[in-house]
Amino acid sequence: MSVIRGATGDWEVVIGLEVHAQVISNSKLFSGSSTTFGAEPNTQVSLVDAAMPGMLPVINRKCVEQAIRTGLGLNARINLYSVFDRKNYFYADLPQGYQISQYKQPIVGEGSLTIDLPDGSTREIGIERLHLEQDAGKSIHDLHPAKTFVDLNRSGVALMEIVSKPDLRSADEASAYVTKLRSILRYLGTCDGNMQEGSMRADVNVSVRRPGAPYGTRCEIKNMNSMRFIRQAIEFEARRQIDILEDGGTIDQETRLFDTKRGVTRTMRSKEEAHDYRYFPDPDLLPLELDPAWVEEIRATLPELPDAKRERFIREYGIKPYDAGVLVSEQISADFFEAVARGRDGKLAANWVMGELFGALNKAGRSIADSPVSAENLGGLIDRIADNTISGRIAKQVFEEMFETGADADTIIEEKGLRQVTDTGAIAELVDQVIRDNPDKIAEIKAGKEKLKGWFVGQVMKASKGKANPQMVNQILAEKLKD
Amino acid sequence: MSLDKATVTKIAHLARMKLSEDRLDHMVGELNNILDWVETLKQVDTEDVPPMTSAVRHSLRMREDKVTDGGYVDRILANAPDAEDGFFTVPKVVE
Amino acid sequence: MSTADLTELGLAEARDGLKAGDFSARELVDAHIEAMEAAQVLNAFITETPDLARERAAAADKRIAAGEAGLLEGLPIGIKDLFCTDGVRTTAGSRILDNFIPVYESTVTAKLREAGAVMLGKLNLDEFAMGSSNETSYFGPVRNPWRRAGDPAAELVPGGSSGGSAAAVAARLALAATGTDTGGSIRQPAAFTGIVGLKPTYGRCSRWGIIAFASSLDQAGPMGRSVRDVALMLRAMAGFDEKDSTSVDAPVPDYEAALTGDVRGLKVGVPVEYRADGMPEEISALWQQGMEWLRAAGAEVREISLPHTKYALPTYYIVAPAEASSNLARYDGVRYGHREDGGNLIEMYENTRGSGFGDEVQRRIMIGTYVLSAGYYDAYYLKAQKVRTLIARDFSDAFGDVDVILTPTAPSAAFARGEKTDDPLSMYLNDVFTVPASLAGLPGISLPCGLNGEGLPLGLQLIGRAFDEETVLRVAGVLEEAAAFDARPAQWWREA
């Protein structure tokens, strides 16, 4: 158990997350306008999104399907009967004066996901529920000295609110949770997980308690859209609460904002008003009843998810659990790895993908999606190592060339004449030459200075410009020295 | 249940309506009359009775995921009291 | 025909006359524009659109000449100012929308336009359709064309909320009009002005583009001077709309064809609970007379019980304000309508909504906000929703035994302006006979069946099974013929 040491003893931090994940769909949850990011203000707004008088919502089938799909991916119960409610409050970017959400009867009930911790251990975290709701518009406060500007392009975009149980105990765990959730959503194709564009945001509930004591009063930190900030905010907030409690104070249940510049949380002023959301079933909509056959159809199309894939990679390719974890975190890297590894040495494939390829991509600031080296070409390179056409060292040189030009290994090997020399006569000739050139060193070896053998191998390799097969050089050199 | 003026004031604020003191005073009586009158519902035994949220019995109809709407910022802003640069505007909000 | 004669026609008659070439749509529309302009004192219209009407009438004449006439081609009608009309100011009778010009057309008015109907203007109503007397309109009260025989000086209300619609049809300013009915807003004003008004089954007409009052109850319907006229209007207004999730996908029958005049063997229920204490003798006598007429036509009249009737009004006055409090949250001065500035966003909201809504609307928003608020939801809103289930069950049980239900429409004839404005509860009681069917989502019609001692019209109501408007219309047709109601208000407003 991770604890935080305070002046008066140990404290445990308790964290629950509400993640808002933007559903991947062409049009909005209750209207036919586009969900594309980054359009000119108010250009992706329908009369419904602007809450014009008399406008009515009609639900998007795809958004419902995505919620079911996500629920299934989180091993959760799918509720065949769910209800849309209105959550009533006034805000400039909430045109209807209410948000259509699901309150008492969400579309998805309890589920779970497994988080992978830095020390290699795993923990199962409970999912409380998932529901569908509308996103609000965007208020922009810095375009005018006296006015807030409102853009409704986001208004009505479908969100899934995924609520965890208060099962997380540290910033590390919270971060691992968001990482795993993001990975699962991306595998499922239900959310692109782009935190910078705001398609995934988290409200973080933080409280502290003495280990084993009942839950303390929690504060909610709103709208976090970076993993780093989530960690910082949790660490700051836990410390803030501990300091208050240790000074004999009490925690006020409140909504806070994380000030990214100063690295502190503070009370959110617009939320100081007491809220009473007056939830009630939206009379413009009817209960959502799902056909169980449809749910099963969706279940049948679920992809292999990261945990299952990780187990299979360990089993089938004999790679290390850590490596498998890294490879499956993104579907695209898992697929790339598998295309390289299939029918080859899995460990070698993992080393090449995670070592050379990831390193080079990182250095070039590119992602695997636009890797200049295709999985097929990387596999081809590994094949040439396996069949002794080139040595591992030459292979690195070939890889660099491949990364530069996008050409395949065979072409580069041929063009640059990098094929390994495996002709015994040719190697023997080189060995003889080196022996001839260094009679003093030979004398030393014969006098018992065995260590110099390695130096001879190096000289021969150098003379071959690296192309001689090192094993053969060793072997022939050993024989010659015996003479 | 009887409403006092403080509660009525609170409700008016929740509903974002500024009412004069006079109106608030008057409203206390009116709302209490109405609430007393609807008290008769307490006489009805509604044990095991489900709530009726709609007179329509079919399940929610779903539409296809197609972009069929939007793209007319001028129409969206046509009635706006104070639009600027393609945005609606409100007095500055401090978050 | 003279201009005045053309306003005497009913909707169906005018349609037949146009078809026969007896007059042009332009002439018909001009006659009604003249009548509308001569009746300013009634205050039936909030916005008159004579130029648009003439333009559309001319287009209608072309279509008639080309043999492309729609169901209501060239027929001048009025539109309740709760229906959004593209390019024509739509106010809901409220200051908060006094400058709102929709960029879209409600489904129902679009269907009417497509059928060729010509809009004369937008009709006055209680603010956001909340009221039973048309006295809550920001644009002033509507005067009932009818006057008490012994007291012509008393200004009578036309009922509400579709008071402008009722007055315009009764005064022959329009051949027919659209109304909306949430708890009686078509039927009660129809009864107060001696015309026919039909509230269809919930889900029959699209709500898209109609400014919402209480979403689970609101329903558009026709108002006209005969059962045939409303049947004709309903055919054009009704139908499935994929833009309204509560719209029901069922075929629209030819309602006119349902007027067979034959009710032999039909079972008519008379709910004992509607015999309220203190019902005026004239009304109970008229109700009795209605039963006799139907019996004489071969129907079987029997008593039924709707045990939860007395809980309908309190239920309605929880459910409707609750929904309204949320539906009216969008009127915040940000995107359209009235705005009154304030030092910050909250003050702007409070000033806008404090000055933009009238007393009755504010009262209902307050009640609705309260009954949904934390700690009270179960006691009020949830309880009301459960009682609503019982009220709907009463009807479905009754319709196991009978085909249609006959009741009075309203507990009184039209009353004088100001008579009930100081006491909201006494105003609410106007809806006592109309609200139960609204809660159950059932179709109901009111038609004039006689006059009271002061010469004011009284209406009877028929309630039918869900989506059985045809039976309702058929029985109404028989009652209409038996009642032979031909009284009409003197055109005093022309002299005024």
Side-chain angles (χ1 to χ4, degrees), chain C residues 102-252:
Chain C
V103 293
Y104 51 96
E105 183 84 23
S106 83
T107 297
V108 165
T109 50
K111 286 170 87 81
L112 285 166
R113 257 184 88 173
E114 206 169 301
V118 173
M119 177 177 77
L120 291 164
K122 306 297 293 290
L123 293 159
N124 206 340
L125 70 160
D126 279 299
E127 185 179 7
F128 282 100
M130 297 178 194
S132 305
S133 65
N134 215 124
E135 290 167 288
T136 71
S137 170
Y138 174 67
F139 300 90
V142 174
R143 285 166 96 168
N144 193 329
W146 292 80
R147 289 166 148 182
R148 286 176 183 148
D151 181 14
E155 284 185 18
L156 302 183
V157 302
S161 69
S162 310
S165 303
V169 173
R172 287 157 170 79
L173 316 182
L175 290 173
T178 64
T180 63
D181 191 315
T182 304
S185 279
I186 286 175
R187 291 161 288 165
Q188 183 256 19
F192 276 23
T193 57
I195 65 165
V196 183
L198 172 69
K199 181 201 93 78
T201 310
Y202 183 82
R204 178 78 283 192
C205 293
S206 169
R207 293 185 298 114
W208 194 89
I210 300 173
I211 296 176
F213 160 14
S215 308
S216 78
L217 295 156
D218 295 345
Q219 186 58 207
M223 302 172 82
R225 290 192 293 270
S226 71
V227 174
R228 181 170 302 276
D229 288 359
V230 300
L232 184 56
M233 279 283 280
L234 180 61
R235 190 173 169 198
M237 294 167 71
F240 173 62
D241 182 4
E242 59 183 22
K243 291 187 289 188
D244 174 359
S245 297
T246 61
S247 168
V248 173
D249 194 357
V252 178

Side-chain angles (χ1 to χ4, degrees), chain A residues 159-183:
Chain A
L159 300 178
M160 295 180 283
E161 181 173 323
I162 303 163
V163 183
S164 83
K165 293 189 182 282
D167 288 352
L168 300 158
R169 293 292 176 269
S170 67
D172 275 346
E173 290 192 0
S175 164
Y177 172 84
V178 176
T179 303
K180 178 53 79 68
L181 180 60
R182 180 174 178 275
S183 172

Side-chain angles (χ1 to χ4, degrees), chain A residues 249-261:
Chain A
T250 53
I251 307 299
D252 295 328
Q253 183 164 344
E254 62 178 358
T255 305
R256 300 178 68 85
L257 272 184
F258 183 62
D259 182 331
T260 54
K261 288 197 192 85

Side-chain angles (χ1 to χ4, degrees), chain A residues 50-54 57 86 88 95 276, chain C residues 104 209 245 326-327 330 335-336 374:
Chain A
M52 291 289 168
R86 291 184 182 178
N88 294 282
D276 185 338
Chain C
Y104 51 96
S245 297
S326 176
N327 282 335
R330 64 188 57 198
R335 284 150 287 112
Y336 44 77

Side-chain angles (χ1 to χ4, degrees), chain C residues 16-93:
Chain C
D16 298 342
L18 278 174
K19 199 184 275 175
D22 297 345
F23 44 83
S24 69
R26 184 61 197 264
E27 288 169 318
L28 183 65
V29 167
D30 277 341
H32 284 88
I33 291 171
E34 190 278 324
M36 171 172 81
E37 284 170 350
Q40 302 289 330
V41 68
L42 296 180
N43 200 28
F45 286 84
I46 291 174
T47 305
E48 297 178 354
T49 54
D51 295 340
L52 196 61
R54 288 194 187 97
E55 200 179 292
R56 289 181 186 170
D61 278 328
K62 281 193 192 132
R63 279 193 295 274
I64 293 168
E68 294 163 358
L71 191 64
L72 300 175
E73 197 68 59
L75 302 175
I77 61 168
I79 300 295
K80 186 179 186 179
D81 206 15
L82 202 62
F83 293 78
C84 290
T85 42
D86 197 354
V88 175
R89 181 172 75 140
T90 301
T91 69

Side-chain angles (χ1 to χ4, degrees), chain A residues 255-433:
Chain A
T255 305
R256 300 178 68 85
L257 272 184
F258 183 62
D259 182 331
T260 54
K261 288 197 192 85
R262 295 166 53 218
V264 301
T265 65
R266 61 169 171 85
T267 301
M268 191 167 173
R269 289 177 64 181
S270 57
K271 295 275 178 177
E272 275 173 352
E273 291 272 328
H275 274 288
D276 185 338
Y277 291 124
R278 292 159 283 137
Y279 284 100
F280 76 109
D282 191 331
D284 285 332
L285 294 164
L286 298 165
L288 179 62
E289 293 175 53
L290 304 176
D291 179 352
W294 187 38
V295 176
E296 290 315 306
E297 255 173 58
I298 297 168
R299 191 193 300 278
T301 65
L302 289 191
E304 181 183 41
L305 291 173
D307 287 344
K309 202 181 276 290
R310 177 169 171 268
E311 291 314 306
R312 185 169 62 78
F313 279 10
I314 295 168
R315 202 174 59 239
E316 278 183 20
Y317 298 106
I319 62 177
K320 283 180 285 184
Y322 174 81
D323 291 356
V326 171
L327 288 170
V328 303
S329 69
E330 291 285 348
Q331 175 122 36
I332 188 164
S333 52
D335 289 351
F336 193 100
F337 163 73
E338 214 167 5
V340 176
R342 196 170 290 124
R344 302 192 177 94
D345 178 341
K347 281 184 197 153
L348 193 58
N351 287 342
W352 274 94
V353 172
M354 295 177 62
E356 296 304 314
L357 180 66
F358 284 4
L361 288 170
N362 211 9
K363 218 167 121 191
R366 304 176 82 153
S367 77
I368 196 154
D370 57 1
S371 166
V373 179
S374 69
E376 193 192 351
N377 286 354
L378 186 55
L381 178 65
I382 291 171
D383 289 343
R384 294 292 86 83
I385 301 169
D387 68 8
N388 281 326
T389 306
I390 52 172
S391 68
R393 233 190 50 161
I394 291 290
K396 290 188 180 174
Q397 194 185 325
V398 175
F399 177 83
E400 276 171 26
E401 192 69 22
M402 288 167 76
F403 199 86
E404 281 290 305
T405 64
D408 65 33
D410 288 344
T411 310
I412 294 166
I413 291 166
E414 285 317 310
E415 276 178 6
K416 306 251 163 182
L418 294 173
R419 186 176 286 276
Q420 189 159 247
V421 177
T422 51
D423 176 345
T424 316
I427 294 175
E429 228 167 80
L430 286 170
V431 171
D432 287 342
Q433 183 64 42

